[in-house]
Amino acid sequence: MLTAAFLGLVSAVMAIPAPAPVAEPTIPAAIVVRVPEPTAAPDLIERNIIDDVETYVEGIVSDVASSISSLVNSGILDFHGFPTGTAVEKTLGISDDDLDAQPTQVLNIPPYANWTDAGWSVRVHGNVYKLPNVSQDKIDDLANVFLIDTEVDELSDSGKAQARNLTRSIFVVQQDDESVTVDFVNNFQVADGSGVVSAKGGSQKIKLPYNTTEEGDFDTFVTLRNTSDSGGYLTPGNETSRVQAINLYAEGTNNNGNSTAYLVPTEGITIISDIDDILRVTKIYEPKEGLLNTFARAFTPWRNMPDIYANWSTSLPETHFHYLTTTPEQGTRNYMEFIYDTYPLGSFDTRPLNFSDVSATLAIRRFLLDKVFQTFPNRRFVLVADTSNSDVMKAYPALYKDYPGQVQCIFLRNTSATDEGDRFPYNTEGFKDIPQERYMFFKVPDDLRNLDIANGHCYNSSIKQNVTFDYQGLPFGLSDDDNAASGGVAPRLGTVAVGVVVGLLALLV
Ligand SMILES: *[C@@H]1O[C@H](CO)[C@@H](O)[C@H](O)[C@H]1NC(C)=O
Ligand SMILES: *[C@@H]1O[C@H](CO)[C@@H](O)[C@H](O)[C@H]1NC(C)=O
Ligand SMILES: *[C@@H]1O[C@H](CO)[C@@H](O)[C@H](O)[C@H]1NC(C)=O
Ligand SMILES: *[C@@H]1O[C@H](CO)[C@@H](O)[C@H](O)[C@H]1NC(C)=O
Ligand SMILES: *[C@@H]1O[C@H](CO)[C@@H](O)[C@H](O)[C@H]1NC(C)=O
Ligand SMILES: *[C@@H]1O[C@H](CO)[C@@H](O)[C@H](O)[C@H]1NC(C)=O
Ligand SMILES: *[C@@H]1O[C@H](CO)[C@@H](O)[C@H](O)[C@H]1NC(C)=O
Ligand SMILES: *[C@@H]1O[C@H](CO)[C@@H](O)[C@H](O)[C@H]1NC(C)=O
Ligand SMILES: *[C@@H]1O[C@H](CO)[C@@H](O)[C@H](O)[C@H]1NC(C)=O
Ligand SMILES: *[C@@H]1O[C@H](CO)[C@@H](O)[C@H](O)[C@H]1NC(C)=O
Ligand SMILES: *[C@@H]1O[C@H](CO)[C@@H](O)[C@H](O)[C@H]1NC(C)=O
Ligand SMILES: *[C@@H]1O[C@H](CO)[C@@H](O)[C@H](O)[C@H]1NC(C)=O
């Protein structure tokens, strides 16, 4: 029943047709047909190809229940159908009274701060929520929806714990119109090998100027006074090249509203990194695997990527790391725990809850990226992600053009080069006119070794590039030049098919 209610809820949001059975991508007859007779109806041929491409893309997601195929696009939790607020209460059958008895919790997402005429300005953001008291049986029913071909009962103990944890994190009840007060305390412990220093002053209490939104979110800049602790002070952002860290605690929580703010100097290099399929093995492009890797298996680093980041953190000691993923806010704690155990410390962005309809979902990455760029107009950025995110493929090269001189390097893992399971098409058009020196499509983490990033040498000349500035990785060889050469019709069909694939991918978000 519960499961049915949840499915009903999500399918109301997602109007995805039931996927067709997996069709191995065979070369459709239409594409090898020579130039058709003048009398042949082109519509028919186009229709064939559209059918085949539709079947192809649907095939990719067909091993996942249609109701959750929306998880697929750019983050396995990239799902605008997670219930919020009263929808959660209804799904779980809990009352306001039950909820009142539970403590208020605050997800305090590690912020960045910029240096302004008024002092350090910190972007405090996160969410206020309550964790309803739900029985394990109910949670298991809900978790089973996300597990394909298995169930909670069949998982190892650690798998069970993870599935239950993430499911409980999704079914929280966000609290609107709450006032949030944070205590800044300069008790940050510097980790070995980290270039980040502990702030010497700045302890203070700040009440945020706005209450939480309808979805329980808060997101606002606050200015730190230059208070002194035992004679120390905050260092101005134009007088240091080091990132200063200061802890902040949300009041009235059971100690899990803690966070660390990173005070980032006016000038320097910021590495903005996506997480799924670049820092951890997710396999978003194989939805069933993607779900299991998120709900049922420990988060695992992608190859030796942690070595590369550790090295950047020590060999470029003044670097600021910012982790920007479009995974929904509900998964933030799990992503943070993995990142801080495995990669250098840094600020964080996940998807705010008000970005919920389809068009907003497509816009969220660019929105968050613009916010970072506008906050640090004098810093240079290294952008890292993989080719399986259509929003990355659009946003990263666009930023190079929209913020001249600010994008130092773009590094994209070519996911299909090491994982033939990735059959998602991607578009490299945005890279036209960007000098090769500034970007690289790479295969394995070692390709990133020994680059002179500080001086903008971002290309390892031993890594062969195959950038066509067009759609790549399309099925049936549609992106091959060979087809273009075979007659006037194929290119046009290719364009139609591309439209269909892209349309379907947009639907899948
Ligand atoms: C640093 O920034 C402050 C505030 O904007 C400004 O008053 C000061 O002149 C700057 N100092 C330097 C060395 O640029
Ligand atoms: C949660 O509900 C169970 C069963 O109703 C009850 O025994 C337990 O005390 C509750 N826990 C909390 C923290 O409210
Ligand atoms: C889930 O795990 C994360 C990371 O360990 C933890 O911070 C969080 O509190 C847990 N959430 C729930 C609902 O148990
Ligand atoms: C903000 O919330 C507090 C309670 O958390 C309430 O007393 C106050 O009136 C609210 N402020 C505004 C501006 O709505
Ligand atoms: C804080 O005050 C101290 C002492 O006046 C000064 O040296 C320091 O530059 C100030 N820092 C900021 C962030 O204004
Ligand atoms: C919050 O505190 C816990 C326990 O000390 C720590 O493991 C975690 O990293 C802290 N989180 C942040 C974001 O600082
Ligand atoms: C979401 O809220 C933020 C502020 O928290 C606001 O800047 C943004 O425009 C909102 N986005 C949408 C799509 O409503
Ligand atoms: C600091 O960040 C805010 C918010 O993004 C931005 O409006 C402002 O211009 C930035 N200030 C400076 C001096 O860069
Ligand atoms: C990515 O790798 C695949 C498989 O090796 C290759 O066909 C494709 O051209 C590569 N893409 C880019 C942009 O180099
Ligand atoms: C380039 O890539 C190769 C192969 O992964 C690696 O051995 C080498 O260190 C990289 N860097 C340079 C500058 O060649
Ligand atoms: C770390 O950086 C140094 C200097 O740039 C380089 O020699 C070394 O190969 C790098 N190691 C890794 C693991 O990338
Ligand atoms: C280069 O990319 C095109 C378009 O995706 C593809 O058809 C071709 O096989 C690729 N070549 C290599 C050598 O990977």
Side-chain angles (χ1 to χ4, degrees), residues 27-34 483:
I27 303 205
I31 201 79
V32 292
V33 152
R34 310 294 302 179
N483 287 316

Side-chain angles (χ1 to χ4, degrees), residues 219 354-355 360 367 371:
D219 189 346
N354 63 344
F355 282 85
F367 173 85
K371 196 171 273 218

